[in-house]
Amino acid sequence: MKIAILGGDGFVGWPTSLHLSSLGHEIHIVDNLSRRWIDTELGVQSLTPMDSIQERCRIWREVTGRRLSFHFLDIAKEYDRFKAWLEEHRPDAVIHFAEQRAAPYSMKSDRHKVYTVNNNVNATHNVLAALVETGIDAHLVHLGTMGVYGYSTIGAAIPEGYLPVGIETLGGETVQQEILYPTRPGSVYHMTKSLDQILFQFYAQNDGLRITDLHQGIVWGTHTEQTRLHPQLVNRFDYDGDYGTVLNRFLIQAAIGYPLTVHGTGGQTRAFIHIQDSVRCIELALGDAPKQGERVRIFNQMTETHRVRDLANLVARLTGAEVAFLPNPRKEAEENDLIVQNDQFLALGLDPIRLQDGLLAEVVDVAKKFAHRIDRSRVPAVSAWTKDIAARVDRDPERKALRPAS
Amino acid sequence: MKIAILGGDGFVGWPTSLHLSSLGHEIHIVDNLSRRWIDTELGVQSLTPMDSIQERCRIWREVTGRRLSFHFLDIAKEYDRFKAWLEEHRPDAVIHFAEQRAAPYSMKSDRHKVYTVNNNVNATHNVLAALVETGIDAHLVHLGTMGVYGYSTIGAAIPEGYLPVGIETLGGETVQQEILYPTRPGSVYHMTKSLDQILFQFYAQNDGLRITDLHQGIVWGTHTEQTRLHPQLVNRFDYDGDYGTVLNRFLIQAAIGYPLTVHGTGGQTRAFIHIQDSVRCIELALGDAPKQGERVRIFNQMTETHRVRDLANLVARLTGAEVAFLPNPRKEAEENDLIVQNDQFLALGLDPIRLQDGLLAEVVDVAKKFAHRIDRSRVPAVSAWTKDIAARVDRDPERKALRPAS
Ligand SMILES: NC(=O)c1ccc[n+]([C@@H]2O[C@H](COP(=O)([O-])OP(=O)(O)OC[C@H]3O[C@@H](n4cnc5c(N)ncnc54)[C@H](O)[C@@H]3O)[C@@H](O)[C@H]2O)c1
Ligand SMILES: NC(=O)c1ccc[n+]([C@@H]2O[C@H](COP(=O)([O-])OP(=O)(O)OC[C@H]3O[C@@H](n4cnc5c(N)ncnc54)[C@H](O)[C@@H]3O)[C@@H](O)[C@H]2O)c1
């Protein structure tokens, strides 16, 4: 297959490109490199030394003989160029990772909120409009998040996308309808994923686009089979307070002798998936495309759930690190249960990698190996969800104490 | 009150500005005049000769002694200028009309789709982000549409915004939740209103913004008490295939001896409201602001429902015009029932103006008075919802026959 990977320079996009390339597909990475620019803006960098995308593609060629093409293009801002690009390349499938993906970054300031909405909504909508306009019947696979649902606070199982509801008709009978499972996003970033769902629903219905939306859990780990092939193929590894996801951050904190910082009570239950399973799920979803006229196919892409404080304790046991409880910069329920259905991927043959499996140790090794590159001042999560919270969090002495003197 | 009217140069915004000004409020119109630019793009114009906004404000001052301020500003593209403007003026209420509002225009081409999504989502989101950032606790009143619901095809009553659903918890009990009534928008324009709802839900929940979303029916008529005061205060009147709404279009067609063009079977039931009631509803909603922390208040702003073919027959009886059935350029159910709840406005004291009340004749008079300004070639609705429909509709001989030779 000829596959366009939008956002293929990113944390999930890069190993996905390698994985699908190694399976023999013709891979075209489309990326505006905005994520690298955000590194510059925030003054952070991947823990792992990450070469330019051009260099990484060159190394992949050298190591495997396979070609990866890179196309520098902003899919949110350059509609016409993107449409022309599609027209020229006519991919069989489009995998869409190209969004601003950090909830804390999306809440940093009004500028970051405006950027996130503008970038993500236009990116997704441009892809849809361009597919319709060019008449390319590609399977569109998008990465969403289970974080769009706030209903988990009532302790319901998160189904795969849809909820049957009974609607009373004028005649007095109750008609069963399957609706998009109602969302209650908790950040501007999550909100954009909730908007994406509506865009997908419309274009599947109006234009018969074939769309799969993967509601992914928090990705952890860093290596996949392919990124291990050469030091310069290494995946990016974010550990800062905005882009570092919770488990990877704990592992870094442990590696540098920093306490594991748990927000609030740490009673929030989250869903996780290892990066190796993430790329495998994408492969499985690609092979199972919906037909024209079918509704959007929604999968939960996760393998296990954990309470944040349990994760902290697990990492603490493994590494001897301490656990520190800090005020929560997010506006969210302190404690929630979470059960997520992922029957569809299990049925397609996913064999989940579990947290226990030695891979935790692998990440600690990566963290230790590059510990000299860690900027400790970037570890705290400082983006607050509201001005009230910002004021409160800032006044907190424990938090201040944790910050390096610098 | 000091009131900002975003989109105050438009069809509903202008009479709203006059109505609220005449009640003694301090009115600030903010508009980028994009609607006038679209007139230019399409080569259409308001049936009624419409002066510049600056001139209209001057006349209002002359006639009533009241001041209307006009501010030229694009709220979708100029976030920083808009925020500075808010900061300077600190309104008590913000009424948000500033979106691209024609479904056919939104479906004209990919460029129009992209423009509509970009303009509408960013306009709404910028307002929300700027209110939070400036800390202005203004009541935000937004104009939405009932067209976001496609479920009317199953013949259910359209409630005011929310649907109670039972969600089964992990413990096996069923918990009642009120969710946003599920949407199934039928055009890119309607889709943007469905996106708006999610933006509102988030900002009400996260930041305590006080928001009222008015899901309006199709507005008909042209005059209000204030626009009648002077010929140069006249409201705009759109009759073209993109911006002309169905009843106004029938009245124009009748006035120029053109057949009333009904799409499909005309079995679609739609909700209507007269422009005078529309401005009155906005006044009522303004006076009934939600409290901080309250969920978004959603009203259905309509007064009656009619099947399109019944409306055509009504106008035909009134005027002697013929009715012509044409292929439907929209993708929608041919026949649907519709019952809309509007208890909230009735409870606040709305006394609905009905279609029968001589106001139909008034619109025919307006149409006749300005019949010399009508460009007949602009009357057909030509924007098709999909490429298939475009091809089919274009091949239709009856439709071609209806087009003026030009
Ligand atoms: N990482 C996770 O834990 C996780 C969890 C759930 C969902 N997801 C989703 O998976 C996707 C990929 O996540 P990631 O962790 O790889 O993020 P990332 O930020 O590392 O990668 C995103 C890539 O998209 C590119 N991009 C952004 N906007 C673009 C635009 N307008 N035009 C072209 N390229 C653009 C960026 O430059 C970057 O290379 C995202 O949509 C994210 O929401 C990620
Ligand atoms: N007219 C109807 O029948 C009807 C029915 C239901 C809902 N509505 C809603 O009511 C609102 C007003 O409708 P209308 O008929 O008056 O539309 P309109 O097009 O006549 O007016 C909209 C105004 O907003 C301005 N505008 C658009 N984008 C802007 C931007 N980015 N910055 C500043 N100004 C901008 C336009 O220049 C125009 O003056 C719309 O949101 C519409 O969706 C209208």
Side-chain angles (χ1 to χ4, degrees), chain A residues 149-158 267-271 305-307 309-310 333-340, chain B residues 169-171:
Chain A
Y149 308 120
Y151 286 86
S152 50
T153 50
I154 63 166
I158 301 220
Q268 316 86 5
T269 309
R270 303 265 196 253
T305 62
H306 294 277
R307 233 173 254 278
R309 66 169 166 262
D310 295 340
E334 286 293 351
E335 302 272 333
N336 73 286
D337 290 325
L338 183 64
I339 291 201
V340 180
Chain B
T169 66
L170 303 177

Side-chain angles (χ1 to χ4, degrees), chain B residues 7-301:
Chain B
D9 186 44
F11 170 57
V12 187
W14 173 245
T16 302
S17 302
L18 300 189
H19 182 72
L20 296 174
S21 174
S22 73
L23 293 174
H25 298 297
E26 179 184 331
I27 302 299
H28 294 267
I29 292 177
V30 174
D31 204 300
N32 67 348
L33 307 183
S34 53
R35 184 64 193 79
R36 291 179 188 251
W37 187 90
I38 291 173
D39 274 348
T40 307
E41 172 200 353
L42 300 179
V44 302
Q45 61 184 357
S46 166
L47 176 67
T48 49
M50 191 180 42
D51 282 354
S52 73
I53 180 69
Q54 294 87 346
E55 178 67 2
R56 302 207 281 185
C57 292
R58 198 184 60 76
I59 302 277
W60 179 248
R61 185 84 196 265
E62 215 172 86
V63 173
T64 65
R66 296 186 188 277
R67 184 191 294 276
L68 284 176
S69 314
F70 168 64
H71 310 266
F72 181 68
L73 210 158
D74 189 319
I75 65 167
K77 284 200 201 139
E78 303 181 295
Y79 176 76
D80 290 330
R81 273 191 71 213
F82 178 59
K83 181 169 72 166
W85 186 90
L86 268 186
E87 193 92 63
E88 186 187 334
H89 291 88
R90 305 194 78 80
D92 303 299
V94 175
I95 310 182
H96 172 27
F97 296 104
E99 297 186 272
Q100 191 298 100
R101 71 109 173 119
Y105 184 85
S106 78
M107 300 302 286
K108 251 187 150 46
S109 79
D110 56 338
R111 183 171 67 75
H112 296 91
K113 292 176 192 176
V114 166
Y115 166 73
T116 300
V117 168
N118 195 8
N119 185 64
N120 293 6
V121 174
N122 282 316
T124 297
H125 183 255
N126 284 351
V127 174
L128 295 163
L131 285 174
V132 172
E133 192 58 23
T134 56
I136 296 173
D137 179 33
H139 177 200
L140 175 64
V141 177
H142 170 257
L143 274 285
T145 160
M146 272 161 345
V148 288
Y149 307 121
Y151 286 87
S152 50
T153 50
I154 62 164
I158 301 221
E160 303 209 75
Y162 295 93
L163 178 73
V165 296
I167 294 188
E168 204 192 324
T169 66
L170 303 177
E173 331 130 70
T174 298
V175 173
Q176 289 294 323
Q177 294 269 327
E178 290 242 313
I179 63 169
L180 279 174
Y181 195 83
T183 64
R184 184 70 69 137
S187 78
V188 165
Y189 157 69
H190 290 102
M191 184 178 76
T192 64
K193 298 288 184 175
S194 172
L195 302 180
D196 284 342
Q197 286 203 291
I198 298 199
L199 300 175
F200 294 140
Q201 174 183 265
F202 175 76
Y203 278 91
Q205 169 187 302
N206 194 68
D207 301 284
L209 291 193
R210 300 182 297 119
I211 303 170
T212 299
D213 198 7
L214 304 175
H215 288 193
Q216 190 167 238
I218 298 172
V219 183
W220 67 281
T222 183
H223 289 316
T224 63
E225 232 175 278
Q226 290 78 32
T227 63
R228 282 195 198 88
L229 290 177
H230 188 284
Q232 284 176 275
L233 294 176
V234 71
N235 198 12
R236 71 175 297 137
F237 189 110
D238 299 304
Y239 65 91
D240 64 281
D242 286 319
Y243 281 88
T245 49
V246 55
L247 180 54
N248 279 359
R249 275 164 54 76
F250 285 161
L251 293 165
I252 284 282
Q253 292 174 326
I256 58 169
Y258 198 103
L260 313 182
T261 51
V262 172
H263 296 141
T265 64
Q268 317 86 4
T269 309
R270 303 267 195 252
F272 293 88
I273 184 166
H274 188 270
I275 183 74
Q276 179 73 63
D277 276 348
S278 183
V279 304
R280 168 86 174 122
C281 281
I282 289 161
E283 175 200 342
L284 293 172
L286 266 181
D288 190 44
K291 313 221 173 336
Q292 269 200 21
E294 212 179 300
R295 73 178 183 187
V296 178
R297 219 170 259 196
I298 300 176
F299 291 78
N300 287 334
Q301 181 161 315

